[in-house]
Amino acid sequence: MSLSRLGVRNVYGTSQQAEFYGNVDREDPEAILNGVAVSGLIGVLRQLGDLAESAAEIFQGIQEEVMATASRSNQLKMRLQHIEATVPPLEKAVLAQTTHLHFAYTGGVEWHPRIPHEHNHFIHDDLPNSFMDHYEECRDPPRLHMLDKFDINGPGSCLKRYSDPTYFRRASSSLVKGNNKFQNNNMSCKIKKKKSSSRSRDMSRLASMANQNARKTFTLISFSGQTSSSISASTSDMEKRSDLQDHHSHTYDCLSTATSSLKTGEKTKGGLVSSSLTPGSCTIGSVLSECETEDEHDNLQFTPLQGQAAAGSSCVSWDEKEEIVEEPLGVKTDEASVVDALVEKASYGEGTGRVDIGKAESEPGLQQSNGIDEVREIKAGTEIVREPRDSSEHETESEGECFVDALNSIESESENEQGLKTSLEAVSIPCGVTGERLEKSSNKVEESCRSMDNDYLNAADEMNHQDPLESDNRSRSPRNDVCTTSNITSGEDKIGFTVVPAPENSLSDSSNHLCHSEHQKSEAKVSGEVEAIKIWTNGGLLGLNPSKPPVLEVPSPDCKTEERTLGSAEAEKDKSDDLVEHVLDTPSLGTQNLTVDQRECHETSSYGVFGGLSQKLFTNSFRRRDSLPHDNRQALPPTIPENDEVMAEKSRFLFRDEAPIDWFASSPPLQHMKISLNPVDNTLQASRLKLKFSDEDNNSNNTFPSFQLLPEAATSLLDSCSDDDDDTFCMTSHIDYLSDYHSLSDSEQWEEPNDSHERKEHDSFHESTHVDNNGEPSSLHTEAENGCVDLNFSYLQSPVEPLPPPFPPVQWMVSKTASETISENKTTQSIQLQDALRFAFEKHTSSSIVNKEEPNTVASAPKPETKVHVKNNAREEKQNANEKETDADDFLQQIRTQHVNLKPVVMTRTLSSTAAAATTDPAINIKISAMLEKANSIRQAVASNDGDESDTWSDT
Amino acid sequence: MAKAGGITNAVNVGIAVQADWENREFISHISLNVRRLFEFLLQFVSAFVFRIDHKEQVGIFFYEKFDLLERRLEMLEVQVSTATANPSLFAT
């Protein structure tokens, strides 16, 4: 890896470029240009050179990597082949075994692979090239091996002596050890000061145990050191071994490796040699391990202990290892002075130590020397261990201290817990008291509910002021405050409001108030119901509609399924009382909703608890529920808008004389329920229903004017307007039409004399005109009976439209037919009257007394029906019009000014007009005849002016 | 003649300048291509060589596999050597 990225230099950026054209004659431009070109080419060549160099580096690295990988793969291949060659005989042997049970008692192989440490990055092989370049550029060490002949340690000793990289490491480690010892002493002093006498025993025991454990581990490490120290090699090997210890001996893995190497002897040697083939063996440690194992093998052949150990089974347990470790300790006690001297020498300096070791090794009695070495190593190991042991002791002490502290803390915690427990007990005792008192108070409340006395306030006061603790709890939560206040405020009036919490209260608060100790399980249920109630109770405010529309779909599955305790029943009872109070206090507001909610809430409640009034109310509610059809109940909207309530009130006002409803004693009739629960869109239809009821039941007491409640007319108006092709007619004429029509209907049904008089006149006129046109009143009557009169009349009365208008809506026709059936009895009289009118009209026309009646005609000209009829008859009486041209101009002007009031359809009143005309006097017939005369004159005038333009007559 | 010589010199200079521009263009083309080669090499290094050189990246899988195989193989070797060194285990 290159730390700096390669930079491509500019072609002309080289410093030597000036050499090519700097010395050129300035007066020769060609030379200058040639020099520049040459320098450019040289720059290109330089770039190419750099490119080649970098490419070579790159590909060289790739090649190296590939080669390394290939070598590793080859090694793996070789090893696999070796294993394949050795496995078949073993396989045969294993398969030849009859029982494999004895393999379970074999110790197996105590071996652990040597994972190469990657921590020494700076001496690893794969250093960056920039670092490797520096290493490569370094000079070789001095040829100290030339001095080996003068050294007693043999070849290579001088080189290691003067160029030992591990020397500084050992020196630094010794310094660190000294510092650690000093710190440990200080810490131990501090710890001893803190220790108590009783705890010190435990701590000493713990420390001894820790020491024992540490001794185990570190003596084992020293055991490995022993094996390594038994090497009779040069000092460099020892140093390497120490280096190896620094690297590997701090783990039990190395220990196991050493022990296995001791026990297995040559076996491990082979294994380790094979492991040296690994790429990790390129490291120093792995290389040293090979030397170690070889030397170990050489030495272990002469050591009795190792021979003894090797004589044992390959499976060495931990206790056996401990014994093995302890035996050299016993040897140490025998030869402690010698070992100490050796250790001291070794500790002062490696050179001297090694010399001593060499001396010791050079002494006769190889076994003894080996034993001394072992002891020395053990001593060194223990010395090495001591520090960790101290540290471990310190750690154990510190741990013990911490443990003691933890005990203290545990004790303190336990004390705190006890204190908390006592406090909790102290708290719980009042809670139980409060629960009892709550129970009592709830019982009181129940009694008070039954008796409906005025002691409810006292009970509520008791509930609210039961316990100071509870009051404290309440004071902590604002909701409780709200609850108490609501209870107080509501408890002034009725019990229902003393018990049932306000809608702002939470469920727990409600349960608190209801039954603190008993209803812990049924809090959720109670709370759900309380929520359902709080929607429509509207915060306990009386005389007001709920702020939100009542939710009728509040589920109460818990009420249906689960068993209720007495407390929950009491809670239900309280709610029912609340409901009762609400019903009593708000009799006129949302009674439907209240009853519906009440019904839903009390479907599952226990009935035996409720008082008489509430029970009566429930029975009423059940009646209502039974009276309600199931479809209607399902069709109820989830939220009933307030408009429905208003409509219900309206209907109540409308029907208050019709059917006096006892809202509390009996269920309302079905029709009211329908009206009250109708959606907003059907208000017009509902109003029409109201009109019908009012008409049928009591017409005299209806205070509303007839023209204000005309839902049917509105619908018919819409239909008629939609049927009209010419909008100008219905835009301006519908008002009069409405008023006429409704006045007509009123005249029919309400029999108001003022309006009916004119209507009768109009109707008689119509009848006369129709008779005049058709000439057969019997046919007219038959048509009226069949309901097709409208079509004929509209065609006659509105000649503007070439085609007859479409049929009116069926509903309207039905109403017309109904009115016809009402007036069927009077048809015979109407026929006679029509005949009389016809004769009178003919008489008037023949006498030609038009001039006398001009003012009357003018007065009656604005009547649109007459104009229309006159227009229809214009062609027939065109001859008579020539005589009255002078007067017709004025009439024409009046007609054109009043044409806006023309009605497109007036056939609806014909039947009723006939019926009305039948009941009129003969004096009226005379007037009608006069009006017919006027109309005839007008017709003549129009015919004279317009002539053939009668078909295109319009309002413009 | 002087004029003619001057003219010829001017023409020669112009030709030389044009040739110089052509040479510069040629050099710039070569330089650009060389730069492209450099760029390619650098990308190659960063995409392949760099990752191979650093095992933590793409090559980590490869090297880890190698390490794992070697360890298992070492374990097998030890087991085989142990088994071959203790024929008494199979002597039943």
Side-chain angles (χ1 to χ4, degrees):
Chain A
M1 182 190 72
S2 59
L3 295 176
S4 62
R5 189 175 177 178
L6 292 173
V8 182
R9 291 175 290 185
N10 190 8
V11 176
Y12 303 102
T14 56
S15 60
Q16 294 128 1
Q17 197 174 12
E19 295 176 359
F20 299 101
Y21 57 88
N23 298 325
V24 179
D25 187 9
R26 294 292 179 182
E27 294 178 354
D28 189 4
E30 291 181 358
I32 294 170
L33 292 175
N34 289 328
V36 170
V38 169
S39 64
L41 290 173
I42 290 169
V44 167
L45 291 174
R46 184 163 296 172
Q47 284 181 347
L48 287 171
D50 294 337
L51 177 63
E53 186 179 358
S54 62
E57 290 178 358
I58 289 165
F59 288 109
Q60 186 178 1
I62 292 169
Q63 186 182 3
E64 288 175 357
E65 292 291 333
V66 170
M67 291 300 290
T69 306
S71 64
R72 289 179 72 179
S73 62
N74 288 326
Q75 288 176 0
L76 287 172
K77 187 177 178 182
M78 295 288 290
R79 292 165 71 180
L80 278 172
Q81 288 176 357
H82 179 67
I83 290 170
E84 285 176 359
T86 54
V87 161
L90 291 173
E91 187 178 4
K92 288 179 182 177
V94 169
L95 292 174
Q97 295 291 321
T98 57
T99 59
H100 302 278
L101 191 62
H102 65 280
F103 289 116
Y105 298 100
T106 57
V109 180
E110 291 183 0
W111 172 86
H112 195 276
R114 258 177 226 183
I115 299 169
H117 290 266
E118 300 286 344
H119 300 294
N120 46 358
H121 295 287
F122 292 102
I123 56 173
H124 202 260
D125 292 337
D126 33 340
L127 279 173
N129 293 325
S130 56
F131 290 99
M132 290 300 292
D133 292 338
H134 293 288
Y135 277 98
E136 290 173 357
E137 289 174 358
C138 289
R139 295 178 181 175
D140 293 332
R143 294 176 291 180
L144 295 174
H145 59 89
M146 298 175 68
L147 299 173
D148 288 338
K149 60 185 179 182
F150 303 105
D151 196 347
I152 57 174
N153 291 327
S157 60
C158 289
L159 182 63
K160 291 292 178 184
R161 185 177 298 163
Y162 296 107
S163 63
D164 187 10
T166 61
Y167 173 79
F168 302 100
R169 191 177 299 174
R170 288 195 299 271
S172 63
S173 63
S174 64
L175 289 173
V176 170
K177 287 176 185 176
N179 292 327
N180 288 329
K181 285 180 180 178
F182 180 73
Q183 290 176 359
N184 290 328
N185 291 326
N186 292 329
M187 291 297 291
S188 62
C189 292
K190 289 178 183 177
I191 290 163
K192 287 177 182 177
K193 288 177 183 177
K194 291 179 182 177
K195 280 181 183 178
S196 63
S197 61
S198 61
R199 292 173 184 172
S200 63
R201 295 174 185 174
D202 298 332
M203 285 306 301
S204 62
R205 188 177 59 188
L206 291 171
S208 64
M209 293 173 68
N211 284 328
Q212 192 174 359
N213 292 327
R215 195 179 304 155
K216 281 181 187 176
T217 58
F218 287 100
T219 48
L220 289 170
I221 290 166
S222 67
F223 183 71
S224 66
Q226 175 202 353
T227 57
S228 61
S229 66
S230 63
I231 297 166
S232 61
S234 63
T235 55
S236 64
D237 294 332
M238 289 180 65
E239 288 162 0
K240 287 178 182 177
R241 186 179 62 239
S242 64
D243 189 8
L244 181 66
Q245 284 180 357
D246 291 333
H247 283 286
H248 299 282
S249 66
H250 294 290
T251 59
Y252 182 71
D253 299 335
C254 181
L255 172 67
S256 64
T257 305
T259 52
S260 65
S261 66
L262 281 172
K263 289 159 196 167
T264 57
E266 292 179 353
K267 299 178 227 171
T268 56
K269 181 183 176 181
L272 291 169
V273 168
S274 65
S275 68
S276 65
L277 294 172
T278 60
S281 62
C282 297
T283 59
I284 295 168
S286 61
V287 171
L288 291 173
S289 65
E290 289 181 7
C291 302
E292 267 182 31
T293 50
E294 289 174 359
D295 295 329
E296 279 171 9
H297 178 67
D298 294 334
N299 291 320
L300 285 169
Q301 290 175 355
F302 301 100
T303 53
L305 288 173
Q306 292 171 356
Q308 185 181 354
S313 66
S314 61
C315 178
V316 181
S317 66
W318 178 260
D319 296 331
E320 291 174 357
K321 288 177 182 177
E322 191 175 1
E323 289 174 1
I324 291 165
V325 169
E326 285 175 1
E327 285 174 2
L329 288 173
V331 175
K332 172 202 164 189
T333 54
D334 296 333
E335 300 174 356
S337 60
V338 178
V339 169
D340 289 334
L342 289 170
V343 166
E344 286 175 359
K345 288 177 182 178
S347 64
Y348 285 133
E350 280 188 2
T352 56
R354 284 164 195 151
V355 169
D356 291 332
I357 289 166
K359 287 178 181 177
E361 287 177 351
S362 62
E363 286 178 2
L366 188 58
Q367 293 179 355
Q368 186 176 0
S369 66
N370 285 328
I372 290 166
D373 286 333
E374 288 172 2
V375 171
R376 188 193 61 78
E377 289 297 330
I378 289 163
K379 178 67 177 175
T382 52
E383 190 178 45
I384 292 165
V385 165
R386 269 176 196 172
E387 190 175 352
R389 186 184 66 186
D390 293 336
S391 63
S392 66
E393 185 177 2
H394 168 62
E395 288 175 359
T396 52
E397 286 175 358
S398 62
E399 288 177 358
E401 186 180 358
C402 293
F403 179 68
V404 170
D405 292 336
L407 284 174
N408 291 325
S409 63
I410 289 166
E411 288 176 359
S412 63
E413 287 177 357
S414 62
E415 289 174 359
N416 292 326
E417 288 178 356
Q418 288 178 356
L420 287 171
K421 285 179 181 177
T422 53
S423 64
L424 286 172
E425 288 174 357
V427 168
S428 64
I429 289 165
C431 286
V433 172
T434 56
E436 293 175 357
R437 295 185 66 183
L438 278 168
E439 188 176 356
K440 291 176 182 177
S441 65
S442 63
N443 291 324
K444 287 178 183 179
V445 168
E446 184 179 355
E447 292 174 359
S448 62
C449 290
R450 289 175 181 174
S451 62
M452 299 292 285
D453 293 336
N454 292 322
D455 295 331
Y456 305 140
L457 182 60
N458 296 324
D461 292 333
E462 285 182 2
M463 291 181 69
N464 292 323
H465 304 288
Q466 285 170 0
D467 205 356
L469 183 63
E470 190 177 4
S471 65
D472 294 334
N473 290 326
R474 286 176 182 173
S475 63
R476 286 172 187 172
S477 64
R479 292 179 178 179
N480 283 324
D481 295 334
V482 174
C483 182
T484 53
T485 54
S486 67
N487 284 327
I488 290 165
T489 54
S490 61
E492 291 173 357
D493 295 332
K494 302 287 173 62
I495 184 170
F497 296 97
T498 56
V499 177
V500 175
E504 292 84 4
N505 291 329
S506 66
L507 307 181
S508 60
D509 296 331
S510 65
S511 62
N512 263 333
H513 288 287
L514 292 171
C515 39
H516 181 70
S517 61
E518 295 177 357
H519 305 283
Q520 289 180 356
K521 292 180 180 179
S522 64
E523 279 181 359
K525 297 183 284 184
V526 173
S527 64
E529 293 169 0
V530 166
E531 283 182 353
I533 289 166
K534 79 182 180 182
I535 291 167
W536 60 272
T537 51
N538 194 12
L541 296 175
L542 298 174
L544 292 175
N545 285 324
S547 60
K548 292 181 180 179
V551 178
L552 299 175
E553 292 179 352
V554 175
S556 60
D558 298 330
C559 300
K560 295 178 181 176
T561 57
E562 295 184 3
E563 227 181 19
R564 290 187 177 279
T565 61
L566 180 61
S568 62
E570 289 174 2
E572 290 294 328
K573 178 183 152 308
D574 295 334
K575 290 171 197 166
S576 68
D577 293 334
D578 189 8
L579 289 168
V580 169
E581 292 300 325
H582 270 282
V583 170
L584 290 173
D585 292 333
T586 62
S588 63
L589 292 176
T591 55
Q592 297 292 327
N593 300 326
L594 285 172
T595 53
V596 170
D597 284 331
Q598 193 175 3
R599 184 183 65 241
E600 289 186 357
C601 290
H602 293 284
E603 279 180 353
T604 59
S605 61
S606 61
Y607 303 106
V609 188
F610 303 109
L613 183 59
S614 61
Q615 194 168 0
K616 187 184 291 179
L617 180 63
F618 295 150
T619 53
N620 291 328
S621 66
F622 290 139
R623 285 179 196 165
R624 286 171 201 170
R625 185 187 58 185
D626 295 331
S627 64
L628 276 173
H630 185 66
D631 296 335
N632 288 329
R633 288 177 63 192
Q634 286 181 348
L636 292 177
T639 60
I640 296 171
E642 293 181 359
N643 293 325
D644 292 336
E645 295 177 359
V646 174
M647 292 303 297
E649 292 179 7
K650 247 187 203 177
S651 63
R652 210 178 303 145
F653 280 110
L654 288 170
F655 296 104
R656 90 192 146 193
D657 293 331
E658 172 202 3
I661 297 163
D662 189 5
W663 295 95
F664 309 106
S666 64
S667 62
L670 182 60
Q671 54 188 359
H672 289 278
M673 296 297 289
K674 284 179 180 176
I675 290 164
S676 63
L677 296 173
N678 271 329
V680 182
D681 296 332
N682 296 326
T683 54
L684 187 60
Q685 192 172 359
S687 65
R688 190 172 65 181
L689 288 172
K690 281 182 257 173
L691 182 59
K692 282 185 178 179
F693 283 120
S694 62
D695 292 338
E696 291 174 359
D697 295 331
N698 191 2
N699 295 325
S700 62
N701 293 325
N702 195 349
T703 57
F704 292 98
S706 62
F707 59 90
Q708 289 182 356
L709 296 172
L710 297 171
E712 288 183 351
T715 54
S716 63
L717 170 67
L718 292 171
D719 295 329
S720 63
C721 290
S722 63
D723 293 333
D724 286 332
D725 294 331
D726 192 359
D727 294 334
T728 56
F729 278 95
C730 77
M731 284 293 288
T732 56
S733 64
H734 70 279
I735 298 169
D736 294 330
Y737 171 70
L738 279 174
S739 63
D740 293 336
Y741 173 70
H742 295 303
S743 62
L744 176 62
S745 63
D746 292 333
S747 65
E748 289 176 357
Q749 297 177 358
W750 300 84
E751 294 179 354
E752 293 182 357
N754 295 323
D755 294 332
S756 63
H757 182 69
E758 293 178 358
R759 299 293 174 276
K760 286 170 186 173
E761 289 180 355
H762 288 295
D763 293 334
S764 62
F765 179 72
H766 285 297
E767 293 295 334
S768 64
T769 53
H770 290 304
V771 168
D772 191 14
N773 290 324
N774 296 322
E776 290 179 0
S778 61
S779 64
L780 176 66
H781 177 67
T782 54
E783 287 176 355
E785 285 180 354
N786 293 327
C788 300
V789 180
D790 296 335
L791 176 61
N792 296 325
F793 285 169
S794 63
Y795 178 71
L796 293 171
Q797 291 171 1
S798 61
V800 177
E801 298 174 354
L803 292 174
F807 289 98
V810 178
Q811 188 177 2
W812 191 36
M813 293 175 68
V814 169
S815 64
K816 293 292 180 187
T817 55
S819 63
E820 290 170 359
T821 55
I822 289 168
S823 63
E824 277 181 354
N825 295 324
K826 303 174 184 178
T827 53
T828 55
Q829 296 178 0
S830 66
I831 292 166
Q832 293 175 359
L833 180 60
Q834 287 173 0
D835 292 332
L837 287 171
R838 185 167 56 92
F839 288 121
F841 180 71
E842 290 176 354
K843 188 183 289 180
H844 282 289
T845 52
S846 62
S847 63
S848 68
I849 52 172
V850 179
N851 293 324
K852 293 178 183 179
E853 294 175 354
E854 279 179 359
N856 291 326
T857 55
V858 170
S860 63
K863 297 296 181 180
E865 294 87 0
T866 59
K867 294 169 189 170
V868 170
H869 292 295
V870 166
K871 182 68 177 175
N872 291 326
N873 296 321
R875 293 181 181 177
E876 297 176 355
E877 298 177 355
K878 192 182 284 184
Q879 296 175 358
N880 295 325
N882 295 323
E883 298 175 357
K884 300 174 185 179
E885 287 181 354
T886 56
D887 296 332
D889 293 333
D890 298 332
F891 287 128
L892 184 60
Q893 292 297 325
Q894 291 175 0
I895 287 165
R896 288 187 177 177
T897 54
Q898 296 295 328
H899 69 275
V900 179
N901 293 324
L902 289 174
K903 291 181 180 177
V905 176
V906 272
M907 61 285 187
T908 58
R909 68 187 66 169
T910 56
L911 293 174
S912 61
S913 65
T914 55
T919 58
T920 55
D921 296 334
I924 298 168
N925 292 328
I926 295 166
K927 292 181 181 178
I928 291 168
S929 62
M931 291 173 67
L932 289 171
E933 278 185 351
K934 295 175 188 175
N936 192 9
S937 63
I938 291 165
R939 183 185 57 195
Q940 291 175 358
V942 171
S944 63
N945 284 327
D946 294 336
D948 294 333
E949 295 175 354
S950 62
D951 292 335
T952 58
W953 182 79
S954 63
D955 55 345
T956 56
Chain B
M1 291 297 291
K3 282 186 179 180
I7 291 167
T8 54
N9 288 331
V11 170
N12 292 330
V13 169
I15 292 167
V17 168
Q18 188 173 0
D20 181 65
W21 279 113
E22 289 174 357
N23 289 330
R24 284 173 183 269
E25 187 179 3
F26 175 70
I27 290 165
S28 65
H29 280 300
I30 292 173
S31 176
L32 183 62
N33 289 321
V34 170
R35 285 174 184 275
R36 285 178 182 174
L37 286 172
F38 263 106
E39 193 67 25
F40 167 74
L41 277 178
L42 291 174
Q43 287 179 359
F44 180 77
V45 169
S46 61
F48 183 74
V49 179
F50 181 79
R51 291 179 184 178
I52 285 179
D53 197 11
H54 292 77
K55 301 172 186 177
E56 291 82 9
Q57 298 185 15
V58 176
I60 191 169
F61 179 77
F62 183 72
Y63 283 97
E64 280 183 353
K65 288 292 179 185
F66 253 112
D67 293 336
L68 185 64
L69 284 172
E70 287 172 352
R71 287 168 191 172
R72 287 182 180 176
L73 203 58
E74 189 175 358
M75 180 69 185
L76 285 172
E77 285 172 354
V78 171
Q79 287 177 351
V80 168
S81 62
T82 304
T84 53
N86 293 323
S88 61
L89 291 173
F90 308 105
T92 56

